[in-house]
Amino acid sequence: MLDFLLRLADPSTVGGNILIYAFVITCGLALGRIRLFGVSLGVTFVLFMGLAVGHFGFVPNPTVLGFLRDFGLILFVFFIGLQVGPSFFSSFRSGGLELNGLALFGILLSVALTVLFAFLMSGSIDLAQMLGVYYGAVTNTPGLGATQEALSELDYAGPDIAVAYACAYPLAVIGIIGTAILIRKVFSIDLAEEERLWSLHETEQNAAPITFYVEAANGYLEDRTIEVIRKVINRPFVISRRYNEAEGLVSPGPKTRVHVGDVLRVVAQEENKEAIVAFFGKERTDVDLTSEHSPVSRRIILITDPSVNGQRIRDLHLANYDGVNVTRVYRAGMEIFPYRSLHLNLGDRLVAVGPERALNRLAGVLGNQEKKLDHPNIISVFVGIALGILAGSLPIALPGIPVALKLGLAGGPLIVAILLGRYGPSLHLVTYTTNSASLMLRELGIAFFLASVGLAAGNGFADAFVNGSGLLFMGLGFLVTVLPLVAVGVAARLIFRMNYHSIVGLLSGLTTNPPALAYAATLSEKNSSAVAYSTVYPLAMFMRILSGQIVLLLFWTSVSG
């Protein structure tokens, strides 16, 4: 039976390659569920399972190994980018300068430690090997590849730096997660409270609209249309209902005229309430125009028609729907005020009020067929991935750098995905993917990536320990991993009073580490670390790729000598 299984796992066959991956991922995920001291590594354990299997010689075909590693990483970062894209730029304005400043500080500190250790250990390892340790310590595979290319251009003939990378990488994953746990213990952080504060901060940054009633007591308003009143006040608001004794309750449109004494139900952002109330003349807190017998209906309409994707609210021409008003837009769990310039996305849920027949007409235009969203738009996904690979492959020539810089297969797709998530609807590109499909592809991608890294590093990892350099690589790598992260984490908490979930995302993005982000996702049901991760990841990826080549440029004599 054992001989049969060994023949079946032959890496020269398609079935053998698939069987090896299936075994590593299955066992890794199963063992990753085991909790030690209240902590489980989750999908990260796939990496260690791959190391064990690779050590015993069950290594897939190198072509298959490289393809699944890179494709898995692309899938993971691409769907992370699509998820955080809509909020990426707003988060950069609100806290991105602090996050990226801390990330840059951490990168410079890790590079300085790498150079310092290379000179201190010059009798044991050279600078090139120390750069292998550095990239393993920050778990940056694209940077390792870029540095190997640079070394090739410089005719470096020393030991393969991938061995040092393989030794440093496993302990680096533990170091990143361990640093996050250490910060939580040192500052006695309550995860539930941190998540509540994070949600409160997000609510403040993306304030949901409020509803209130006003009475038209200003004589200027007599017989003015709502369209004219909105221009005079110059504040965004929606009047969803109007009541007076002569006409009763109606759902007004832009051309509806207001009379003194009318009671109006207004939807607006809280900061605009005072100005709106002051202009109309009086706030009413003793009325409710949403009774069951109201001739005005309220409905939530789902956008499922691709032709609506990217249109603005104004493009719906609501004035043609007999008094229909859109009062709110729900997107990705957020409640958004329906500005006339707001771009609509596939999957948005619109809260609309008005006559039943008019609401039915609007629902027909928007689609409102939930089953249509069950089928993800695969075309947009692969177009985005193709553009990401192209972006990552573009050479960036800088004066004095011996080889052109590249963002690689991780940085390119991530940046393109963020841009598509933010601007895709404006260009009428359908980037909507169901949450279940996105999670499935992300988990599949990270599992393939970790299994591939572990399987490839198995032999080199063991050989390094046989010749005695493995422990040295691991120890130096652990210091390069942990010391900058502790400094950044402490500074983020003490100086900037940063939320713990944002700190974990910062640390994961600083080390460009998808496994650490996968661990961070287990700390919060809202995946609150993803925004900080995506905010610093592009800068961190670029600087990691750049830093190795700059070190070679500045200290090449140490390598060649």
Side-chain angles (χ1 to χ4, degrees), residues 280-356:
F280 277 95
K282 182 179 180 181
E283 182 178 6
R284 293 287 299 271
T285 58
D286 58 337
V287 294
D288 182 8
L289 302 183
T290 60
S291 62
E292 294 184 7
H293 303 292
S294 168
V296 179
S297 300
R298 176 184 181 275
R299 183 183 297 185
I300 297 179
I301 303 176
L302 180 64
I303 297 180
T304 61
D305 191 327
S307 65
V308 181
N309 187 66
Q311 289 189 16
R312 295 178 173 89
I313 292 283
R314 69 164 70 100
D315 298 329
L316 298 180
H317 303 293
L318 295 177
N320 299 330
Y321 290 90
D322 303 323
V324 169
N325 286 289
V326 174
T327 61
R328 289 172 177 81
V329 176
Y330 290 98
R331 176 183 301 164
M334 295 188 300
E335 187 177 350
I336 306 171
F337 181 81
Y339 294 99
R340 287 174 55 78
S341 59
L342 178 69
H343 285 278
L344 297 173
N345 295 2
L346 205 69
D348 284 353
R349 296 179 183 273
L350 276 59
V351 179
V353 297
E356 185 68 25

Side-chain angles (χ1 to χ4, degrees), residues 433-507:
T433 305
T434 60
N435 188 52
S436 58
S438 177
L439 288 174
M440 176 67 180
L441 290 171
R442 279 164 48 190
E443 289 296 308
L444 190 64
I446 193 63
F448 276 134
F449 171 71
L450 290 172
S452 299
V453 171
L455 289 166
N459 287 333
F461 184 75
D463 291 342
F465 282 98
V466 172
N467 61 38
S469 59
L471 289 176
L472 179 61
F473 290 150
M474 290 185 70
L476 293 174
F478 186 76
L479 293 176
V480 173
T481 300
V482 172
L483 293 180
L485 292 182
V486 170
V488 169
V490 171
R493 190 68 179 183
L494 287 182
I495 299 175
F496 297 99
R497 305 294 180 184
M498 196 171 290
N499 185 277
Y500 177 71
H501 294 295
S502 295
I503 292 175
V504 177
L506 166 64
L507 300 183

Side-chain angles (χ1 to χ4, degrees), residues 189-226:
I189 291 172
D190 183 343
L191 289 179
E193 177 64 12
E194 290 296 301
E195 184 163 5
R196 185 189 70 81
L197 293 174
W198 185 87
S199 300
L200 181 61
H201 174 75
E202 287 298 299
T203 300
E204 292 174 351
Q205 295 296 317
N206 303 281
I210 62 172
T211 302
F212 55 94
Y213 291 94
V214 296
E215 180 179 328
N218 183 353
Y220 171 83
L221 299 172
E222 179 61 36
D223 207 35
R224 305 281 184 183
T225 65
I226 291 176

Side-chain angles (χ1 to χ4, degrees), residues 79 82 346 373 376-377 381 430-438 441:
F79 282 95
L82 282 183
L346 205 69
L373 296 182
N377 192 353
V381 170
V430 178
T431 57
Y432 176 82
T433 305
T434 60
N435 188 52
S436 58
S438 177
L441 290 171

